[in-house]
Amino acid sequence: MTPQQRIIVLDFGSQYSELIARRIRECHVFSEVLPHDTTLQKLKDHHVQGIIFSGGPSSVFEDNAPVCDPDILTSGIPIFGICYGMHLITKQLGGMVQRGKKHEYGKANLLIDNNADLFEGLLLEMSIWMSHGDSITQLPDGFQKLAHTENCSTAAIGDKSSKIYGVQFHPEVAHTPKGMDILRNFVLSICGCEPSWTAASFIEEAIKKIQEEVQDKKVICALSGGVDSTTVSALLKKAIGDQLTCIFIDQGFMRKGESKRIRNLFTDKFKIDLLDINASERFYKKISGVVDPEKKRKLIGEEFIRTFEEKAVELKSDYPFLAQGTLYSDVIESATVGVSSTAVKIKTHHNVGGLPEKMAFTIIEPLKRLFKDEVRKVGLELGVPEEIVFRQPFPGPGLAIRILGEVTKDRVKILQEADVIVMDEIKAAGLYRKIWQAFAVLLPIKTVGVQGDKRTYLNTIAVRAVSSEDAMTATWVHLPYDLLERISSRIINEVQGVNRVVYDISSKPPATIEWE
């Protein structure tokens, strides 16, 4: 098989590094993020066709400003620097950068001086999203100025012979309307990549890797019934057939009726060999009294692994591999190995950073470089039914991380009842497929209320609904007031122990989608 073409994004600390990789994938070319200090040899091992230097919060004048392997700049591999990336290219190749007297952030008007190569096919004037403090005062030898703005005399540069380019703005964000055209010019024209990375091509490569790693050994797949784990199981079934055994663990924190639905779906409808384990008691005991969200996630993650290990011993066969539906967003947020060295851990995902150090399994994560929307495309290609493919995301630790504070059976029951109402009303309003995620959260506070002419002091439910493409960023959904009113009224009237409902209007960032 021909090695897969890919564009590598070297991360210099930008909040947009992963977004850049997403935009490249939208050009049907595979892209991933690596640390800024990745060596040229390692890049070549990745069959890199082009390199993008991300922006970042640093200035090239800082003592510990991040730099790249200098050999990269003379390698002949096409390079595209964004913001800090452009300043780094300029300085390392002998140009001059000075501290800016005028800073420019936000919307700006770009005037193109040379619309060849990087700006091919674009009008000479376009709206962009600018971000800079430092400015280029002298170009490296061989470079030309390609564009400018009112406050930035050099907003884009390029050297056609070395195929190195840079811009002072963010082409990857939606606020630069023609940014995708610029990225497409770099990836397809300058780097010469073929737009061949599709769901089908991913499946073909993933199957080959799985077969090479697993060979004739057996694999246990952790199945939750969501799109991620179901897609993984379908992929593994296609790759290794009867060597796969799927196990569903009911940890006691599922949605109301979810466990039964999953069992019926996979055994009756899809005819998948499913081992069903009711482990709710041991999970409740494991996190009894725990209120810290990171500790919850880690304890639940460890208990999943221990439960799987015990079941593998019972099966009296050798199951050295455990497959999981880990996604790229999980890896990034958990800041695990393989993510940029500049990454900061946001929260531990039980199937990534929450795994214990000592395990009896080798972990297989075929989807860990895919975003959620890409997983859905792969699922559809594999024949996974739409009812699963477009199921809203549900966290591995379940309702345990939607209950702030201690998790008890009574509190889980309250949240299960509230969650059903939220789901029912969102679906009845025709919004289930239009928004990314909607759910209820049980808060660790009680408030005073009046019900039946009597004073009450009961629980508070928060409702959360967000729109997103990949879970890396999200905005709160402006649900219709009448819908919010129905949800609130039903929860207060139908869920025993609740007298107040609030709506979460925070976006990600600064908040995360889940509350814990």
Side-chain angles (χ1 to χ4, degrees):
M1 181 184 294
T2 303
Q4 183 183 73
Q5 295 180 329
R6 68 186 67 202
I7 300 293
I8 297 297
V9 179
L10 292 185
D11 181 17
F12 289 89
S14 172
Q15 61 179 314
Y16 297 127
S17 294
E18 286 76 32
L19 180 58
I20 297 170
R22 271 200 55 78
R23 297 295 183 237
I24 304 305
R25 294 181 186 198
E26 289 172 16
C27 299
H28 298 293
V29 175
F30 184 71
S31 179
E32 61 182 323
V33 180
L34 294 178
H36 65 83
D37 53 359
T38 301
T39 64
L40 174 61
Q41 183 56 54
K42 186 171 182 180
L43 290 174
K44 288 181 176 179
D45 291 343
H46 279 70
H47 307 293
V48 61
Q49 291 287 113
I51 304 167
I52 295 180
F53 290 4
S54 80
S58 302
S59 165
V60 291
F61 296 103
E62 295 174 8
D63 292 337
N64 296 317
V67 297
C68 68
D69 178 350
D71 291 338
I72 291 173
L73 292 168
T74 56
S75 65
I77 300 171
I79 299 171
F80 182 29
I82 296 174
C83 297
Y84 177 84
M86 181 174 81
H87 293 157
L88 180 65
I89 289 170
T90 300
K91 184 178 180 183
Q92 290 199 217
L93 291 180
M96 295 184 65
V97 181
Q98 72 172 15
R99 295 186 184 276
K101 296 179 180 179
K102 279 189 176 182
H103 291 210
E104 192 173 16
Y105 300 104
K107 188 177 181 179
N109 197 42
L110 184 74
L111 299 173
I112 298 175
D113 303 304
N114 184 334
N115 66 341
D117 301 326
L118 196 63
F119 297 108
E120 183 74 35
L122 298 176
L123 298 177
L124 297 180
E125 188 173 344
M126 60 185 288
S127 179
I128 59 170
W129 193 255
M130 181 66 86
S131 176
H132 79 102
D134 301 339
S135 300
I136 294 174
T137 56
Q138 181 178 323
L139 295 175
D141 291 342
F143 280 77
Q144 291 182 319
K145 181 178 78 170
L146 303 181
H148 67 279
T149 70
E150 181 179 355
N151 295 322
C152 182
S153 61
T154 308
I157 63 174
D159 178 5
K160 187 173 183 178
S161 62
S162 64
K163 295 186 177 182
I164 300 178
Y165 298 84
V167 296
Q168 190 55 74
F169 56 91
H170 289 282
E172 71 274 18
V173 301
H175 300 295
T176 301
K178 295 295 182 181
M180 275 299 297
D181 293 314
I182 296 171
L183 292 172
R184 196 175 289 109
N185 281 339
F186 175 71
V187 172
L188 302 183
S189 299
I190 296 171
C191 297
C193 292
E194 294 292 332
S196 58
W197 189 69
T198 62
S201 66
F202 167 80
I203 291 169
E204 181 183 0
E205 183 176 12
I207 287 175
K208 183 174 183 291
K209 288 181 178 178
I210 291 168
Q211 291 172 339
E212 289 176 350
E213 182 174 8
V214 172
Q215 297 183 16
D216 61 347
K217 296 181 175 65
K218 294 187 176 182
V219 178
I220 291 176
C221 180
L223 187 62
S224 70
V227 59
D228 305 333
S229 63
T230 304
T231 299
V232 166
S233 64
L235 183 62
L236 287 165
K237 187 71 173 178
K238 191 175 180 67
I240 60 174
D242 294 339
Q243 293 167 239
L244 172 68
T245 298
C246 290
I247 296 181
F248 167 63
I249 295 178
D250 182 355
Q251 87 286 60
F253 314 133
M254 304 296 289
R255 283 174 162 151
K256 185 177 180 180
E258 186 85 341
S259 298
K260 183 178 181 180
R261 184 194 68 82
I262 291 172
R263 287 192 291 268
N264 292 341
L265 189 65
F266 284 87
T267 57
D268 297 342
K269 186 172 182 180
F270 304 132
K271 309 300 181 185
I272 290 179
D273 184 17
L274 180 66
L275 297 178
D276 182 13
I277 303 173
N278 187 336
S280 58
E281 291 300 326
R282 65 185 290 175
F283 275 85
Y284 274 109
K285 183 178 179 180
K286 188 75 174 181
I287 64 170
S288 176
V290 176
V291 298
D292 179 76
E294 271 296 286
K295 191 174 181 180
K296 275 186 198 176
R297 286 176 173 270
K298 285 183 175 295
L299 288 173
I300 291 171
E302 180 177 359
E303 201 64 14
F304 263 108
I305 292 298
R306 299 308 173 219
T307 306
F308 272 109
E309 288 176 334
E310 292 171 13
K311 192 62 182 179
V313 172
E314 291 177 19
L315 294 174
K316 298 180 181 179
S317 298
D318 184 18
Y319 282 81
F321 295 100
L322 169 62
Q324 296 189 135
T326 306
L327 304 191
Y328 201 17
S329 53
D330 300 333
V331 174
I332 293 164
E333 286 195 334
S334 296
T336 50
V337 177
V339 183
S340 169
S341 58
T342 57
V344 176
K345 182 168 73 174
I346 298 170
K347 59 186 177 183
T348 297
H349 290 262
H350 85 279
N351 54 339
V352 192
L355 294 176
E357 291 183 6
K358 294 183 178 180
M359 298 182 295
F361 299 110
T362 297
I363 302 298
I364 297 177
E365 299 168 312
L367 309 181
K368 70 178 181 179
R369 293 302 176 188
L370 297 186
F371 292 100
K372 178 70 77 171
D373 60 316
E374 295 169 334
V375 173
R376 288 187 169 122
K377 292 175 183 176
V378 170
L380 290 173
E381 185 73 23
L382 287 167
V384 176
E386 288 192 9
E387 63 186 281
I388 295 179
V389 169
F390 294 105
R391 178 179 184 259
Q392 289 187 0
F394 186 71
L399 298 179
I401 60 166
R402 291 179 179 173
I403 296 175
L404 277 61
E406 185 178 4
V407 179
T408 65
K409 291 183 179 180
D410 288 342
R411 300 192 79 204
V412 168
K413 184 177 179 181
I414 289 172
L415 186 55
Q416 284 177 331
E417 298 296 335
D419 177 82
V420 168
I421 292 171
V422 173
M423 287 293 98
D424 285 349
E425 292 296 337
I426 290 293
K427 290 176 180 177
L431 296 176
Y432 186 81
R433 290 274 295 269
K434 295 180 180 179
I435 62 179
W436 177 265
Q437 212 167 339
F439 55 91
V441 179
L442 179 59
L443 303 187
I445 57 175
K446 292 185 177 182
T447 68
V448 174
V450 179
Q451 291 174 298
D453 296 326
K454 294 181 181 180
R455 177 188 184 274
T456 61
Y457 189 57
L458 300 174
N459 294 286
T460 301
I461 290 287
V463 176
R464 178 87 157 130
V466 297
S467 61
S468 179
E469 289 185 354
D470 49 35
M472 294 307 303
T473 61
T475 56
W476 65 278
V477 176
H478 294 240
L479 293 179
Y481 288 153
D482 60 339
L483 174 57
L484 288 172
E485 184 177 19
R486 286 196 304 275
I487 290 173
S488 175
S489 177
R490 284 194 60 193
I491 290 175
I492 291 172
N493 288 318
E494 298 175 27
V495 181
Q496 188 174 358
V498 176
N499 68 356
R500 190 177 300 271
V501 175
V502 298
Y503 188 55
D504 182 351
I505 60 170
S506 48
S507 295
K508 177 185 179 180
T512 54
I513 294 177
E514 298 288 348
W515 279 48
E516 287 195 340

